[in-house]
Amino acid sequence: MLPLAFLKEDEVAEIVESPHRYGYGHQYRHGAWKFRNGVDQLDCCRKRKHSDDHLLNIGLRPGKYVRMISNSGAGPLVLLIDECRIALGRGIAMKIYVRRIEA
Amino acid sequence: MIIEEEKNKSGQGAASNHRASFVIAVAGNPNAGKSTLINAMAGARLQVGNWPGVTVEKKSAEFEYEGRRIILVDLPGTYSLSPYSQEEVIARDYLVHERPDVIINVVDATNLERNLYFTLQLLELEIPLIVALNMYDEAGQKGFRIDTAKMASMLGCAVVPTVATRREGVDRLIETAVEFAESSNRREMMAVSYGEDIEKAVRSIVEDMKQHGAELVNHGPSRWQALKIIETDEIVLDEMGISADDNFLKQATHHLSKAHGEDLETLLADTRYALAAGLTREALKKPETRKRELTERIDAIVLNRYLGIPIFLFFMWLIFKLTFDIAGPFTEWFDAVISGPLTHWSAAVMTLAGAPDWAISLVTEGVIAGVGAVLIFLPPIFAMMFFITFLEGSGYMARAAFVMDRMMHAIGLHGKSFIPLLLGFGCNVPAVYATRTLENPRDKALTALLIPLMSCGARLPVYLLFVGVFFSAYAGTVLWSLYILGIILAVMVGWIFKKTLFRGEAPVFIMELPPYRMPTMTSLLIHTWEKGKHYLIKAGTFILAITICIWFGLNLPWGVESKRDSYLGHIGQAAAPVFAPLGFGTWEAASSLITGVIAKEIVVSTMGEVYTPKDGDDKEKNAPSVSEELKQIGVSFVGAVGKAVGNVFSTFGIATISMEEEEGTESLKTAIKKNFTPLSAYAFMAFVLLYVPCFIVLVAMRHEFGTWKWAGVTIAYQSVLAWTVSFIIYQGGTLIGIG
């Protein structure tokens, strides 16, 4: 197992683990955000935890095969999942674990 | 709401008979081709209108079909009914609350599994559903074979293959939609089975809800609600007035949580995904080997670590060049027509009609000079909108966001925020609305605060006027420097905000990169028009009204000797000392800046009015005849076309900024030359770039954020910034002796 961000270009891997509670979800729930700068009234993000599941909705889920299309070692990377190219920040790509598949 | 009434009217006569009108919602993943399909369906009968009410992004179109009025609702792209970004909230709320008569689910045939995951969620809403299997040709080119009959029978809904760009399958889609809307027999749609445990819980929750009475039943079908309750979907819980800690909820999910752990939501999502994957396996035959596609080959270059940014900058430069080269000659022509023939014709007509002098002055010096000064910039604005639309439509825009991601991190944002900022060069108003594609409120607010620093099309008239007078020799460079100044300040301000108001963790960047496509001319034109028409409408309404007010401001109290003693003159004089250290402490400059808060192009139209000599009596006696002038207009238009073509191919600089030289409002130019020095002109342009964004942007911010707070922050920081920067430019310049 290795972090997705370590996958080299053209390598194929199976997603083993992806964080399903990453990101901002918990902040909304506990109101931490509110104390920080008071943007909480923004109706765009009513209290919810679903932002976490965006990875899932966009098709990045355990069991799925991905191919690394672009990974320059710094900055965001591009994956191919089925026929769909997903750009992913390096931070989140370090939190997704994959298993290399021999091509 | 109009749609609501329509539905009630048409809803009465159900059964399988002819209905007068109904509503079709078009939903699907981003980039599945929804808008193109809607354009193809509504065709020439298309009437794209902004949604009445809150959102700009939800578009509807109406068309007639065999005596029925069909309303198509274009929903923002969505991956799921558990929304992530605000756009997704819009789509979800519409589907759940407004319940359209039919849903057309646009599915990208090249990307079945993920699209079907959304389809399965839509089916749970129990609204008649048709799958438009779009981009069917692309799937074919990839060697995919899709068994649509099998798909239809498994999903229990209609599946229509379409190629929206070529209108293929569109007629069948409309027919099927009409049939679905008018048939009364309920179709047996596929229901995802979540396993015995969960189904039992669903049944018991549905029972409970029935006992609870009607107030719970109004937010979607009860099975769907029950599932959302199990998922503890907070939006649904909110809507139903249940809190996650209610006993009702705890009881219902107690044994489930015990058996499956806390995270039922993921469990349900996994079930749906497994089913979507199964459906895809059944219906889709993929070829053994994948071809390396064009998109990949382009991406290898465009996203390259070293080449990415230079390529991006080249495209930006190209857009600016093309915009000004193509639009320049037309602006010049338009200007000549408005300030010449149009002005004397209307004066002549009004004199013939016996209009009093003051009315003639109101029309020619107020309305035509004011609105005209703004209208002549339609060509560059539409040209820039066109190229930006092209970037969006071709798929490059998403790459630009990717390439800029690392740089954007410096100011505490990620690549996706770059798109609204880029749109800001066209007009700040749609740019503010575009922030709704950002997921988290921090990014959204910070991006919106920086947008006004992107020099919008409305500021261009001011630059062009001053650059034409003072810097015609190196017009392109000076103009560029202003755009760059805005960008550099945005980086600095962003960095400061990141360290102060917006501390917090780095945002998460996830974005789909659509395949490259050549956008069709029709869709380019439609979307350019959609973007640019606000400017035109603004000129016709808002700016027209303001120019009239300014005319009165300059001519009241009645019979003032000079404009200086008019009301506006007095206000200008009072404000002028504030601008004195910046090099433009005249009442004329001050009053144009004040009126310019309403919209920046008004700076120019106010100047147009302020600097026109008071007595307009000396009209040219030997005005050329109407036919001669008409001929002249035609000839000069042809000349403009030729020049535009020539510009594009001849030089590699921005060729036509000096356009205002020969023609146009000569008196305004002389007046400006008298009242400004090159240095104070530059300070003035910088001030116009940076000071308070136009009123419409502030309203848009209020609208997007539901509070005046961010508009207030913008006003405060921009006023300080504009004054400081202009002060540094003017005083610094004077010190080193450029004055």
Side-chain angles (χ1 to χ4, degrees), chain A residues 21 24 27-28 33 42 45-46 48-50 53-54 56 58 61 64 72 83-85 87 89, chain B residues 80 84 93 110-111 113-114 142 232 235 263 265 273 305 439 441-442 505 507 509 511 513 709:
Chain A
R21 284 290 175 262
Y24 303 93
Q27 289 179 348
Y28 294 127
W33 186 254
L42 300 183
C45 290
R46 312 175 195 172
R48 56 156 210 246
K49 55 188 174 155
H50 289 293
D53 297 313
H54 193 52
L56 192 71
I58 209 164
R61 59 187 178 92
K64 206 72 200 158
S72 60
E83 292 300 310
C84 164
R85 273 158 280 269
Chain B
S80 141
Y84 179 54
D93 282 358
T110 63
N111 213 336
E113 183 181 308
R114 197 192 63 203
K142 282 176 193 277
T232 51
I235 300 177
D263 198 8
E265 192 187 346
Y273 247 126
R305 190 175 178 182
E439 304 79 33
R442 171 192 174 279
E505 51 204 285
F509 178 55
M511 197 176 64
L513 303 180
K709 179 179 171 185

Side-chain angles (χ1 to χ4, degrees), chain B residues 268-564:
Chain B
L268 295 193
D270 283 347
T271 314
R272 279 186 210 118
Y273 247 126
L275 194 59
L279 281 169
T280 309
R281 263 198 309 279
E282 289 288 318
L284 170 71
K285 290 279 163 287
K286 278 189 186 184
E288 294 282 309
T289 49
R290 269 189 92 247
K291 283 182 287 189
R292 192 168 152 86
E293 285 164 34
L294 182 65
T295 296
E296 276 166 59
R297 272 174 279 161
I298 299 175
D299 272 347
I301 303 164
V302 164
L303 301 183
N304 180 286
R305 190 175 178 182
Y306 304 104
L307 294 178
I309 287 179
I311 289 174
F312 166 73
L313 291 176
F314 171 76
F315 279 130
M316 288 300 102
W317 174 83
L318 196 66
I319 285 182
F320 276 87
K321 175 185 155 54
L322 289 177
T323 297
F324 295 118
D325 281 1
I326 293 174
F330 293 102
T331 305
E332 194 178 326
W333 170 79
F334 211 16
D335 184 20
V337 172
I338 287 175
S339 63
L342 193 63
T343 310
H344 0 122
W345 290 348
S346 41
V349 168
M350 288 183 74
T351 320
L352 271 181
D357 272 357
W358 68 266
I360 297 178
S361 152
L362 172 62
V363 171
T364 55
E365 286 165 34
V367 174
I368 297 183
V371 177
V374 171
L375 276 185
I376 55 173
F377 295 99
L378 281 180
I381 283 164
F382 271 90
M384 188 174 269
M385 298 289 188
F386 179 85
F387 292 120
I388 288 179
T389 310
F390 181 84
L391 282 195
E392 283 178 311
S394 66
Y396 183 74
M397 197 67 116
R399 270 75 181 183
F402 178 88
V403 167
M404 295 303 285
D405 182 60
R406 284 177 75 188
M407 286 199 174
M408 297 296 288
H409 273 289
I411 58 174
L413 290 171
H414 64 57
K416 243 174 163 176
S417 296
F418 184 71
I419 294 175
L421 291 177
L422 192 63
L423 292 177
F425 285 120
C427 175
N428 287 180
V429 176
V432 168
Y433 285 115
T435 58
R436 68 179 51 167
T437 54
L438 303 171
E439 304 79 33
N440 91 59
R442 171 192 174 279
D443 294 6
K444 210 171 127 82
L446 180 50
T447 310
L449 283 182
L450 298 180
I451 284 171
L453 296 177
M454 301 299 120
S455 186
C456 67
R459 275 166 257 193
L460 201 55
V462 186
Y463 307 154
L464 291 182
L465 179 65
F466 280 83
V467 165
V469 174
F470 292 105
F471 308 102
S472 48
Y474 25 88
T477 323
V478 171
L479 200 63
W480 255 110
S481 73
L482 287 161
Y483 282 90
I484 299 294
L485 179 69
I487 295 169
I488 292 174
L489 288 170
V491 172
M492 286 164 59
V493 170
W495 189 81
I496 293 168
F497 278 145
K498 174 189 162 191
K499 295 281 172 202
T500 54
L501 268 177
F502 291 92
R503 270 186 305 234
E505 51 204 285
V508 175
F509 178 55
I510 309 173
M511 197 176 64
E512 193 176 336
L513 303 180
Y516 291 104
R517 295 201 174 93
M518 186 46 104
T520 62
M521 204 46 164
T522 352
S523 83
L524 277 180
L525 292 179
I526 288 173
H527 290 116
T528 305
W529 171 245
E530 279 297 296
K531 286 199 183 83
K533 72 172 184 201
H534 297 286
Y535 189 82
L536 194 62
I537 293 168
K538 198 165 72 166
T541 53
F542 206 57
I543 291 180
L544 177 67
I546 301 296
T547 49
I548 292 172
C549 294
I550 294 171
W551 186 86
F552 279 108
L554 283 170
N555 287 278
L556 289 179
W558 273 126
V560 280
E561 283 299 299
S562 79
K563 288 179 176 170
R564 202 167 191 263

Side-chain angles (χ1 to χ4, degrees), chain B residues 560-629:
Chain B
V560 280
E561 283 299 299
S562 79
K563 288 179 176 170
R564 202 167 191 263
D565 299 322
S566 63
Y567 288 143
L568 191 60
H570 281 295
I571 296 173
Q573 284 175 53
V578 178
F579 303 112
L582 314 182
F584 39 90
T586 61
W587 74 267
E588 291 97 334
S591 50
S592 346
L593 287 173
I594 291 167
T595 51
V597 171
I598 296 163
K600 296 224 169 163
E601 56 275 52
I602 288 180
V603 171
V604 174
S605 50
T606 309
M607 286 194 154
E609 291 187 53
V610 166
Y611 285 125
T612 15
K614 182 80 175 72
D615 45 0
D617 289 338
D618 49 347
K619 296 251 154 36
E620 292 119 281
K621 296 283 183 288
N622 306 331
S625 75
V626 172
S627 61
E628 263 171 53
E629 282 196 315

Side-chain angles (χ1 to χ4, degrees), chain B residues 195-271:
Chain B
E196 195 40 45
D197 266 6
I198 289 181
E199 293 299 332
K200 221 161 95 190
V202 167
R203 279 196 296 275
S204 90
I205 293 173
V206 170
E207 268 317 301
D208 277 358
M209 284 197 299
K210 270 188 195 143
Q211 282 162 22
H212 254 75
E215 76 271 23
L216 282 186
V217 187
N218 274 335
H219 303 282
S222 43
R223 180 182 155 82
W224 181 76
Q225 274 181 328
L227 286 166
K228 289 290 157 187
I229 289 173
I230 293 173
E231 287 180 0
T232 51
D233 180 308
E234 294 194 9
I235 300 177
V236 170
L237 294 182
D238 268 1
E239 283 167 356
M240 299 175 68
I242 313 175
S243 102
D245 305 323
D246 271 2
N247 274 335
F248 163 67
L249 192 61
K250 282 221 172 109
Q251 265 171 21
T253 57
H254 177 70
H255 71 281
L256 288 178
S257 329
K258 235 173 164 177
H260 302 285
E262 285 296 322
D263 198 8
L264 293 168
E265 192 187 346
T266 311
L267 179 71
L268 295 193
D270 283 347
T271 314

Side-chain angles (χ1 to χ4, degrees), chain B residues 68-108:
Chain B
R68 306 164 180 86
R69 202 154 65 87
I70 300 181
I71 299 157
L72 289 171
V73 178
D74 183 5
L75 296 173
T78 320
Y79 291 109
S80 141
L81 280 183
S82 308
Y84 179 54
S85 69
Q86 191 191 1
E87 285 201 309
E88 294 194 349
V89 174
I90 294 169
R92 180 253 176 225
D93 282 358
Y94 180 81
L95 290 171
V96 172
H97 296 303
E98 314 265 327
R99 295 192 64 82
D101 297 301
V102 178
I103 299 175
I104 291 182
N105 174 206
V106 185
V107 162
D108 176 355

